[in-house]
């Protein structure tokens, strides 16, 4: 017992003084009406959960190994090594990516919050999410017909993350009804993204992961540190969520699992690659998969972002497996039994998620308000960002055009004008912002504060009201893909549409 206590104390010290952070959080939010619900430990710890997630992702990565074997081992080389990754990243970014690991502020333990909802509101949100899921299936079926075989959890056509707000009229009402809770819990708010998650009956929730902005390794060359007032460049120091149950959530319903004693961290891809280098037998499937992940990270074909995103998640799963399996103590997973309308208030930089729990006999629906603190934003990111970012931005903008067409607009510009009322949206330096900016695309390090007050899409109340009038009409019948939308989607596929060395895209090639 003494040894266990000593090891736990060591973990607290090693992970940044967690207990002090907890006490500080309690003092700050002492008057807030948290719900006193005891967390329940699951039988799987973070080490085992990360390994299970990596094993689930591995076949996706490994299926490409034989195809790319000639590239990986051409001219008698030893494979796609760490030095190859460093060279290629410099080539596509235009300068060295950093081998860095940022440790954000520790914000204390996960808490449960009672949100303002009604049964009618929750049922309406679930109905909208069910319709949107049918649309997601329709889009994915069309992508499969064009040769796409894998779909990462987060991608440009996902309707669960930043795109969810476009299809959630009642979800927006939920946000409006809870603004006072958000302001009290998160006073330094810089932006919000509304996410809508469902886990289908018979399926598993997404495995152990955390939020990891790609830009953590590029802050110094892009923003020319040091920054004013200790600000973070292109990523928020705080990223918290109010993950709200729309129906009862118990152990049998794929609950959100948190690893409370794990360290909040944002390691860059190059940092993780360095830590994993040489840790596994050379000819093992794990090492082959890590080689493939390094290759995809260094050659991110924007025409198939799913394999690139799966590679990043695989690398992180193996990274935390290696880190936490080598500790002399376990980091347990914890979940909470939630009543409808109760939210898990948690730090997105702490590992969370598990794919090992028993599959549920019914769907699980949750709505998530993801909150970002203010981050430093260069006056004109498009002029100083790496070429890969510029190409990625153009690609995401084109996918927004496709979704706008599905919603009945001519293009993304018409959707932007409806939401903003035709008003020109600019940052503090007068640089015009786009639909991608106000929708807070976290894959592009866009979090809603651009050197000014919040400018995320949730702040445009009248414009969203106009937009939702159209959405409600669409939801009266089954979702369909107009021919114009199909043409638009087809234009975004293919490895030759964007040139990562110039940061340009040509969507007319398909």
């Amino acid at each position: 017992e003494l040894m266990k206590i000593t090891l736990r104390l060591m973990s607290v010290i090693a992970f940044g003084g967690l207990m002090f952070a907890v006490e500080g959080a309690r003092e700050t939010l002492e008057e807030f009406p948290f719900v006193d619900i005891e967390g329940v430990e699951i039988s799987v710890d973070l080490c085992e959960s990360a390994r299970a997630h990596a094993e689930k992702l591995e076949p996706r990565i490994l299926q490409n190994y034989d195809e790319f074997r000639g590239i990986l081992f051409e001219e008698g080389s030893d494979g796609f090594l760490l030095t190859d990754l460093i060279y290629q990243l410099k080539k596509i970014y235009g300068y060295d990516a950093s081998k860095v690991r940022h440790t954000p502020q520790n914000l204390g333990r996960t808490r449960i919050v009672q949100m303002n909802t009604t049964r009618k509101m929750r049922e309406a949100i679930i109905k909208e999410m069910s319709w949107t899921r049918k649309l997601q299936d329709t889009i994915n079926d069309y992508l499969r017909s064009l040769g796409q075989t894998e779909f990462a959890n987060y991608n440009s056509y996902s309707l669960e993350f930043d795109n969810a707000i476009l299809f959630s009229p009642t979800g927006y009402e939920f946000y409006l009804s809870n603004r006072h809770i958000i302001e009290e819990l998160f006073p330094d708010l810089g932006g919000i993204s509304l996410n809508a998650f469902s886990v289908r009956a018979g399926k598993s929730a997404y495995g152990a992961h955390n939020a990891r902005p790609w830009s953590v390794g590029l802050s110094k060359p892009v923003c020319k540190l040091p920054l004013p007032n200790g600000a973070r460049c292109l990523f928020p120091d705080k990223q918290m969520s109010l993950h709200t149950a729309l129906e009862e959530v118990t152990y049998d319903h794929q609950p959100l699992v948190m690893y409370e004693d794990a360290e909040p961290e944002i390691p860059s891809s190059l940092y993780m690659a360095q830590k994993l280098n040489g840790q596994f037998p050379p000819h093992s499937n794990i090492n082959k998969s890590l080689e493939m992940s390094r290759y995809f990270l260094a050659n991110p074909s924007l025409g198939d972002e799913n394999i690139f995103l799966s590679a990043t998640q695989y690398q992180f799963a193996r990274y935390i497996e290696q880190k936490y399996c080598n500790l002399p103590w376990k980091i347990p997973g914890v979940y909470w039994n939630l009543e409808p309308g109760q939210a898990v208030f948690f730090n997105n930089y702490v590992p969370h998620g598990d794919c090992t729990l028993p599959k549920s006999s019914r769907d699980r629906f949750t709505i998530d308000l993801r909150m970002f603190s203010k981050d430093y934003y260069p006056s004109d990111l498009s002029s100083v960002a790496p070429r890969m970012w510029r190409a990625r931005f153009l690609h995401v903008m084109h996918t927004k055009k496709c979704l706008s067409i599905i919603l009945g607009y001519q293009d993304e510009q018409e959707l932007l004008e409806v939401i903003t009322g035709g008003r020109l949206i600019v940052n503090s330096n007068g640089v015009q912002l786009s639909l991608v900016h106000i929708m807070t695309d976290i894959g592009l390090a866009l979090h809603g504060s651009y050197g000014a007050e919040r400018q995320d899409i949730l702040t445009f109340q009248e414009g969203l009201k106009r937009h939702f009038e159209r959405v409600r009409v669409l939801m009266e019948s089954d979702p369909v893909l107009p021919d114009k939308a199909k043409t638009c989607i087809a234009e975004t596929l293919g490895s030759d549409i964007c040139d990562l060395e110039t940061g340009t895209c040509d969507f007319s090639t398909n």
Side-chain angles (χ1 to χ4, degrees):
E1 285 300 316
L2 180 60
M3 178 63 73
K4 288 182 180 178
I5 293 171
T6 303
L7 290 175
R8 181 68 80 184
L9 182 59
M10 288 170 62
S11 74
V12 168
I13 295 170
F15 291 164
L18 179 59
M19 299 304 291
F20 295 106
V22 173
E23 291 305 316
R26 284 177 181 157
E27 285 181 19
T28 305
L29 300 171
E30 187 176 4
E31 303 301 320
F32 192 84
F34 290 108
V35 182
D36 188 16
I37 297 177
E38 191 74 23
V40 182
E41 287 191 11
I42 63 173
S43 60
V44 176
D45 66 1
L46 179 53
C47 158
E48 297 166 317
S49 183
R51 180 181 294 132
H53 187 42
E55 289 172 352
K56 194 171 182 178
L57 291 171
E58 196 165 279
R60 298 187 196 178
I61 311 297
L62 210 53
Q63 69 183 4
N64 298 278
Y65 188 77
D66 288 338
E67 179 183 349
F68 288 93
R69 186 179 177 85
I71 300 173
L72 294 172
F73 292 99
E74 62 185 353
E75 298 178 2
S77 74
D78 294 323
F80 197 79
L81 305 178
L82 184 64
T83 51
D84 300 317
L85 176 63
I86 294 170
Y87 171 79
Q88 186 67 8
L89 286 176
K90 183 173 183 179
K91 185 178 177 182
I92 63 175
Y93 283 126
Y95 40 65
D96 287 321
S98 303
K99 298 179 219 173
V100 299
R101 185 181 73 98
H102 173 62
T103 51
Q105 179 180 349
N106 200 313
L107 302 173
R109 312 293 277 189
T110 298
R111 309 292 292 272
I112 307 302
V113 177
Q114 182 62 55
M115 306 297 284
N116 289 323
T117 68
T118 64
R119 180 176 178 178
K120 182 179 179 181
M121 176 187 286
R122 294 191 299 270
E123 289 176 347
I125 295 172
I126 290 173
K127 185 177 180 181
E128 291 165 1
M129 288 176 65
S130 298
W131 186 94
T132 305
R133 200 164 67 177
K134 289 182 182 178
L135 175 59
Q136 183 76 77
D137 290 342
T138 304
I139 293 172
N140 289 351
D141 286 345
Y142 181 63
L143 287 168
R144 285 189 188 95
S145 74
L146 299 174
Q148 292 277 8
T149 57
E150 295 290 341
F151 299 95
N153 194 44
Y154 179 85
N155 64 75
S156 298
Y157 287 112
S158 171
L159 305 183
E160 290 194 328
F161 291 89
D162 51 293
N163 293 319
I165 182 60
L166 297 177
F167 303 90
S168 193
T170 314
Y172 186 61
E173 292 176 16
F174 167 76
Y175 157 73
L176 294 175
S177 299
N178 288 280
R179 279 184 295 184
H180 66 289
I181 291 178
I182 294 167
E183 290 168 1
E184 189 165 354
L185 287 175
F186 207 92
D188 53 347
L189 187 65
I192 300 182
S193 177
L194 184 145
N195 301 163
F197 301 123
S198 67
V199 180
R200 300 179 192 237
K203 299 292 184 180
S204 298
Y206 200 68
H209 65 286
N210 76 344
R212 291 183 324 284
W214 66 271
S215 46
V216 68
L218 301 171
S219 296
K220 187 173 182 178
V222 170
C223 291
K224 313 298 183 188
L225 301 180
L227 300 175
N229 303 320
R232 299 296 177 191
C233 169
L234 296 178
F235 67 92
D237 196 51
K238 301 176 186 176
Q239 188 178 152
M240 303 290 291
S241 271
L242 284 162
H243 187 87
T244 307
L246 297 174
E247 297 176 301
E248 180 187 42
V249 175
T250 68
Y251 179 80
D252 297 323
H253 304 130
Q254 296 292 306
L256 175 68
V257 173
M258 293 296 303
Y259 302 95
E260 292 281 79
D261 294 330
E263 182 182 26
E265 62 175 320
I266 315 171
S268 70
S269 293
L270 200 51
Y271 179 90
M272 290 187 287
Q274 185 181 40
K275 288 294 181 182
L276 290 167
N277 192 39
Q279 295 300 307
F280 301 95
H283 301 295
S284 67
N285 281 343
I286 295 177
N287 200 60
K288 290 177 180 179
S289 298
L290 287 171
E291 276 195 310
M292 284 308 309
S293 296
R294 287 197 291 265
Y295 178 77
F296 287 125
L297 289 170
N299 298 274
S301 168
L302 295 176
D304 187 1
E305 62 182 339
N306 292 288
I307 189 63
F308 171 75
L309 295 168
S310 293
T312 64
Q313 294 291 8
Y314 179 78
Q315 186 188 50
F316 181 72
R318 288 300 183 193
Y319 166 76
I320 57 175
E321 175 199 4
Q322 194 72 358
K323 175 175 180 174
Y324 290 102
C325 289
N326 286 319
L327 291 179
W329 61 88
K330 292 186 176 183
I331 305 296
V334 179
Y335 75 94
W336 292 262
N337 292 307
L338 302 178
E339 295 294 325
Q342 291 177 341
V344 182
F345 180 52
F346 74 96
N347 184 349
N348 273 289
Y349 293 139
V350 173
H352 53 277
D354 178 74
C355 61
T356 70
L357 294 180
K359 295 178 175 60
S360 175
S361 59
R362 68 163 171 83
D363 295 345
R364 189 213 75 184
F365 293 95
T366 52
I367 191 165
D368 186 295
L369 295 172
R370 187 186 295 242
M371 300 166 288
F372 312 105
S373 59
K374 293 180 179 179
D375 54 344
Y376 179 78
Y377 188 82
S379 58
D380 185 6
L381 180 58
S382 61
S383 66
V384 296
R387 293 183 288 270
M388 178 184 170
W389 184 94
R390 282 176 260 168
R392 173 86 180 131
F393 181 88
L394 292 172
H395 188 265
V396 171
M397 180 68 83
H398 201 79
T399 64
K400 292 288 188 279
K401 175 183 177 180
C402 304
L403 292 175
S404 300
I405 293 169
I406 293 172
L407 287 162
Y409 297 95
Q410 288 297 312
D411 53 28
E412 79 286 354
Q413 193 58 38
E414 185 186 2
L415 172 57
L416 177 65
E417 289 173 1
V418 167
I419 290 171
T420 62
R423 181 163 54 92
L424 186 67
I425 307 300
V426 298
N427 67 9
S428 59
N429 294 287
V431 177
Q432 185 174 352
L433 302 181
S434 68
L435 181 65
V436 179
H437 286 89
I438 70 168
M439 289 185 67
T440 60
D441 189 298
I442 57 178
L444 287 166
L446 305 176
H447 303 104
S449 63
Y450 305 107
E453 295 303 311
R454 274 181 63 194
Q455 295 192 83
D456 59 80
I457 193 170
L458 300 186
T459 62
F460 296 91
Q461 188 170 349
E462 289 303 313
L464 281 173
K465 183 179 178 182
R466 290 188 293 268
H467 166 69
F468 289 142
E469 289 174 0
R470 293 193 183 203
V471 173
R472 288 190 174 95
V473 173
L474 276 179
M475 288 183 171
E476 291 174 359
S477 55
D478 287 339
V480 295
L481 288 186
D483 289 341
K484 185 178 177 182
K486 290 181 179 180
T487 300
C488 181
I489 291 172
E491 290 171 347
T492 63
L493 304 181
S495 59
D496 56 347
I497 54 176
C498 293
D499 186 338
L500 299 182
E501 294 189 28
T502 62
T504 59
C505 298
D506 181 3
F507 298 104
S508 64
T509 58
N510 287 347

